[in-house]
């Protein structure tokens, strides 16, 4: 019995020693394999590093008279179309059609954006010239065609097209806002008031406020917030337009379902106008009284002493207010005529830069900057006297969805107390002019 017990213990001990030996052998083998693989990886890295250094020496022209030009992002071996056709053979009408500006304005824009857009050549690739980067981005803003088409046209990658658009829009906002999108000077206020009176028959007015809806693709979050009154998804912008048809103030990036009155009340334009920033000091005289210049707005805005809107009128059988008097209807007609200024400015904006008239497939992080950049480019082209083709407006009218109409703000709780007195002054003026 004892011998069997000793034999069992011996067998157990031998089994344990054999298993331990096998485990030690396996561990040693795995460690050797790991060391071999590590040495192989290190050797491969060393060879790759040597190869990269050799390629850098070759690309840099060391020990060779041949300069190798590598462009990993290009999809075509040649950019002959840009370098030969555009730069040497484009006629003035071609520049206007394709880039929506004259050749002179194009190179002016490139010079202004060069500090932000210029890139350094490297040993592996040559940076795109600033002129080509701007041309790629302008082509996209003007036509809203797919990145793939622009990529094939300019001989660059789709990601490069996207990057060019993003970089140029940010550069325009950063470098050109202080020149083309700024508060007006006193002289500009006077000039704008003179144009509103002489061209549109509305006195003592320097600007008109309007809204712009830019169609977008369905966002990943809170898509219902972007549904505008017409039912399609959009980003809503608020613009203030001078008598010359140029933008003085732009607020972009709001969901299409936002109330325009909320945007205005939370904008810098509201604070500036309420403090008298859009009128010289002392205020000019109107109808025998000192009165700050006013702005014109849609019926969706609250009535303020500096913001005039139309009187409510009957619509069919629905009458929410007392019937408008004849002086009030005369005021409405004159105001409606004057608010054609922002309507025409926005139409020219969308016609020149059709990325705003068709559904924009850029992300919501890019669209607001793109809208601001297009407004700045609009002001720049208008200031430089670049031609505008009526055919562009026809294309927009046929292609885009109609801009939504916002509901009339019937409540007077947000109206300024003495704003009605100011509006009555304008009614008296129009009655005098009509007699």
């Amino acid at each position: 019995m004892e011998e069997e017990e000793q034999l069992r213990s011996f067998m157990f001990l031998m089994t344990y020693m054999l298993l331990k030996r096998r485990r030690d052998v396996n561990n040693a083998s795995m460690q050797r394999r790991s060391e071999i693989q590590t040495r192989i990886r290190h050797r491969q890295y060393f060879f790759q590093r040597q190869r990269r250094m050799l390629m850098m020496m070759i690309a840099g022209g060391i020990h060779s008279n041949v300069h190798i030009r590598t462009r990993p992002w290009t999809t075509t071996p040649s950019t002959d179309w840009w370098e030969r056709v555009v730069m040497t053979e484009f006629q003035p009408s071609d520049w206007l059609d394709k880039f929506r500006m004259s050749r002179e304005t194009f190179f002016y824009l490139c010079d202004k954006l060069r500090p932000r857009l210029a890139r350094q050549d490297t040993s592996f690739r040559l940076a795109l010239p600033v002129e080509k980067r701007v041309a790629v981005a302008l082509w996209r803003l003007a036509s809203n065609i797919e990145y793939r088409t622009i990529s094939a046209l300019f001989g660059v990658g789709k990601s490069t097209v996207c990057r060019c658009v993003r970089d140029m829009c940010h550069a325009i906002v950063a470098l050109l806002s202080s020149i083309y999108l700024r508060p007006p000077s006193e002289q500009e206020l006077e000039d704008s008031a003179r144009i509103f009176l002489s061209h549109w028959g509305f006195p003592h007015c320097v600007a008109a406020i309007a809204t712009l809806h830019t169609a977008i693709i369905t966002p990943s979050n809170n898509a219902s917030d972007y549904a505008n009154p017409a039912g399609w998804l959009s980003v809503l912008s608020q613009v203030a337009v001078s008598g010359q048809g140029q933008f003085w103030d732009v607020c972009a990036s709001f969901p299409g379902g936002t109330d325009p009155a909320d945007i205005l009340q939370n904008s810098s334009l509201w604070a500036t106008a309420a403090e008298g920033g859009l009128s010289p000091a002392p205020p000019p005289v109107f109808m025998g009284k000192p009165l700050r210049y006013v702005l014109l707005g849609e019926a969706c805005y609250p009535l303020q002493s500096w913001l005039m809107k139309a009187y409510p009128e009957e619509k069919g059988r629905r009458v929410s207010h007392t019937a408008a008097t004849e002086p009030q209807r005369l005021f409405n007609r004159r105001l409606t005529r004057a608010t054609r200024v922002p309507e025409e400015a926005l139409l020219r904006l969308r016609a020149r830069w059709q990325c705003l008239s068709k559904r924009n497939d850029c992300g919501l992080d890019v669209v607001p900057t793109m809208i601001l950049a297009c407004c700045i480019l609009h002001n720049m082209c208008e200031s430089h006297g670049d031609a505008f083709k009526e055919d562009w407006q026809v294309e927009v009218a046929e292609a885009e969805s109609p801009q939504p109409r916002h509901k009339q703000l019937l409540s007077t709780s947000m109206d300024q107390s003495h704003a009605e007195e100011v509006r009555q002054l304008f009614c008296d003026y129009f009655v005098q002019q009509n007699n």
Side-chain angles (χ1 to χ4, degrees), residues 30 34 67 128 132 161 180 187 237 266 301 312 326 376 382:
M30 291 176 61
S34 177
H67 187 65
L128 287 180
K132 189 171 184 178
V161 176
Y180 295 106
Q187 184 61 50
S237 304
N266 290 281
Y301 292 121
E326 182 56 35
I376 294 171
E382 295 289 324

Side-chain angles (χ1 to χ4, degrees), residues 278-311:
L278 294 180
S279 190
V285 176
F286 177 69
M287 295 291 288
K289 298 181 180 180
L291 180 68
R292 293 173 178 173
Y293 285 133
V294 300
L295 282 70
L296 307 181
E298 302 174 12
C300 57
Y301 292 121
L303 181 67
Q304 302 290 302
S305 62
W306 52 270
L307 178 61
M308 296 290 101
K309 69 173 188 176
Y311 287 95

Side-chain angles (χ1 to χ4, degrees), residues 168-302:
M168 191 194 74
C169 289
H170 282 288
I172 288 173
V173 173
L175 299 178
L176 299 184
S177 292
S178 59
I179 304 175
Y180 295 106
L181 193 64
R182 55 174 177 75
S185 64
E186 286 192 11
Q187 184 61 50
E188 289 170 333
L189 288 171
E190 293 176 6
D191 294 342
S192 184
R194 187 164 49 252
I195 292 175
F196 265 104
L197 178 59
S198 60
H199 287 63
W200 305 100
F202 205 102
H204 217 68
C205 171
V206 294
I209 306 175
T211 56
L212 169 66
H213 285 268
T214 304
I216 58 172
I217 58 176
T218 304
S220 56
N221 297 316
N222 304 320
S224 60
D225 293 343
Y226 290 85
N228 58 42
W232 42 279
L233 303 181
S234 65
V235 166
L236 176 59
S237 304
Q238 170 192 286
V239 298
V241 184
S242 69
Q244 295 91 336
Q246 297 189 23
F247 300 102
W248 278 352
D249 183 86
V250 179
C251 288
S253 81
F254 295 94
T258 310
D259 186 353
D262 292 337
I263 298 177
L264 177 60
Q265 288 183 304
N266 290 281
S267 67
S268 59
L269 179 64
W270 177 279
T272 301
E275 294 171 0
L278 294 180
S279 190
V285 176
F286 177 69
M287 295 291 288
K289 298 181 180 180
L291 180 68
R292 293 173 178 173
Y293 285 133
V294 300
L295 282 70
L296 307 181
E298 302 174 12
C300 57
Y301 292 121

Side-chain angles (χ1 to χ4, degrees), residues 409-429:
L409 183 62
L410 298 177
S411 172
T412 60
S413 59
M414 292 188 292
D415 291 355
Q416 208 169 10
S417 57
H418 60 287
E420 187 57 54
E421 299 176 9
V422 176
R423 188 161 61 172
Q424 185 60 46
L425 281 178
F426 285 94
C427 287
D428 296 340
Y429 171 85

Side-chain angles (χ1 to χ4, degrees), residues 212 214 235 237 250 252 356 366-376:
L212 169 66
T214 304
V235 166
S237 304
V250 179
L356 305 182
V366 179
V367 173
T369 307
M370 183 179 292
I371 295 171
L372 283 172
C374 289
C375 290
I376 294 171

Side-chain angles (χ1 to χ4, degrees), residues 59-122:
I62 300 179
H63 303 306
S64 173
N65 294 326
V66 179
H67 187 65
I68 300 177
R69 305 176 68 171
T70 58
R71 278 179 160 167
W73 62 79
T74 56
T75 56
T76 58
S78 172
T79 57
D80 182 67
W81 178 82
W82 161 256
E83 295 171 353
R84 183 180 63 82
V85 178
V86 176
M87 297 300 289
T88 62
E89 299 181 9
F90 256 32
Q91 300 300 312
S93 60
D94 297 321
W95 285 94
L96 199 61
D97 281 334
K98 304 306 181 185
F99 301 113
R100 294 304 201 255
M101 62 182 64
S102 65
R103 178 186 174 94
E104 293 75 19
T105 303
F106 174 85
F107 284 102
Y108 166 84
L109 177 64
C110 293
D111 290 339
K112 287 292 185 181
L113 301 184
R114 198 174 303 278
R116 290 288 291 263
L117 296 185
R119 301 290 186 268
Q120 295 293 326
D121 293 341
T122 68

